[in-house]
Amino acid sequence: QVSPRLRTPQLPIWLCSITGRHSVLFSTNSRLLSDWKMERVFHLYFYNGQQEQTTTACLTIDTHSHHWEEGRSEDPSSPGKRRPSVEMAIRTKWAGATVSWNGTDPFF
């Protein structure tokens, strides 16, 4: 029998397989699970356990951003507009969200 704590986590956590690597996206804000208003701007932490990642990346997710706020200098299909796989995974839950890496180099 599965413990109730395993069925209903106290903090939001997503186990991901991104480009064949297992990783974890999580938040330390428990209200993100129960209050939809918390999904406006929030932080997610990303960790993949690979040697090239020495610290957990803190990502800021903005679900109410607008496409015109992004740089217009490049065509979205150009190689310069390539998005990290973790951002694409985040957008499967929050379509159109912008992801700020807060100074950390994005992982591709």
Side-chain angles (χ1 to χ4, degrees):
Q1 184 172 2
V2 177
S3 166
R5 293 263 191 233
L6 292 177
R7 286 182 272 158
T8 309
Q10 291 183 335
L11 295 173
I13 184 168
W14 294 271
L15 302 176
C16 308
S17 177
I18 301 173
T19 63
R21 294 182 175 183
H22 292 91
S23 54
V24 178
L25 277 167
F26 64 95
S27 175
T28 56
N29 184 353
S30 62
R31 291 180 52 203
L32 192 57
L33 288 170
S34 59
D35 186 358
W36 62 270
K37 291 178 263 179
M38 297 303 296
E39 290 187 19
R40 164 83 173 76
V41 176
F42 57 95
H43 297 287
L44 285 181
Y45 296 91
F46 175 70
Y47 185 73
N48 67 8
Q50 302 299 316
Q51 289 180 349
E52 60 270 12
Q53 184 180 6
T54 57
T55 61
T56 302
C58 178
L59 311 174
T60 301
I61 315 302
D62 183 352
T63 60
H64 285 71
S65 61
H66 303 289
H67 63 86
W68 58 82
E69 292 174 349
E70 290 190 53
R72 297 180 191 168
S73 60
E74 296 181 42
D75 177 16
S77 61
S78 73
K81 279 295 218 182
R82 185 174 158 217
R83 298 287 186 205
S85 301
V86 68
E87 287 186 27
M88 301 310 291
I90 289 168
R91 287 188 183 110
T92 63
K93 173 130 176 81
W94 296 284
T98 58
V99 179
S100 170
W101 286 76
N102 300 316
T104 303
D105 290 331
F107 312 125
F108 282 91

